[in-house]
């Protein structure tokens, strides 16, 4: 995975493999509210794009990786 801290924020951009947003949405809806658009999925402190790019709000790079792994598997 490729991870970049966005300047001046507690947001991290992480690039992973492409994601089926419909399948991910169905999985995450069991845990909490999901907002699915044609291009991305919003869940808690995470925004995931079909291309596999994700923005994660976290206090550290390690926390961002853990959050993303927890929900994307």
């Amino acid at each position: 995975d490729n991870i970049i801290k966005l300047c001046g924020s507690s947001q991290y951009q992480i690039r992973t493999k492409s994601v089926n947003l419909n399948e991910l949405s169905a999985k995450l809806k069991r845990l909490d509210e999901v907002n699915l658009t044609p291009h991305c999925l919003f869940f808690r402190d995470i925004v995931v794009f079909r291309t596999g790019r994700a923005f994660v709000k976290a206090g550290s790079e390690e926390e961002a990786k853990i959050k993303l792994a927890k929900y994307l598997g």
Side-chain angles (χ1 to χ4, degrees), residues 8-34:
S9 73
S10 58
Q11 294 273 341
Y12 292 84
Q13 175 182 276
I14 302 175
R15 292 188 182 271
T16 64
K17 62 183 186 221
S18 62
V19 178
N20 181 319
L21 295 180
N22 292 321
E23 289 178 9
L24 182 59
S25 175
K27 174 185 165 185
L28 296 176
K29 280 182 180 178
R30 293 184 230 140
L31 303 174
D32 204 351
E33 184 178 335
V34 174

Side-chain angles (χ1 to χ4, degrees), residues 4-73:
I4 299 169
K5 184 175 192 307
L6 300 178
C7 187
S9 73
S10 58
Q11 294 273 341
Y12 292 84
Q13 175 182 276
I14 302 175
R15 292 188 182 271
T16 64
K17 62 183 186 221
S18 62
V19 178
N20 181 319
L21 295 180
N22 292 321
E23 289 178 9
L24 182 59
S25 175
K27 174 185 165 185
L28 296 176
K29 280 182 180 178
R30 293 184 230 140
L31 303 174
D32 204 351
E33 184 178 335
V34 174
N35 184 1
L36 180 62
T37 74
H39 305 287
C40 63
L41 176 148
F42 296 86
F43 177 76
R44 296 184 178 169
D45 292 337
I46 302 172
V47 181
V48 181
F49 297 86
R50 291 188 187 284
T51 60
R53 184 174 58 139
F55 292 113
V56 182
K57 184 174 184 177
S60 69
E61 183 176 309
E62 190 62 30
E63 181 186 348
K65 288 179 181 179
I66 289 168
K67 278 186 177 183
L68 195 62
K70 179 178 180 178
Y71 297 118
L72 261 62

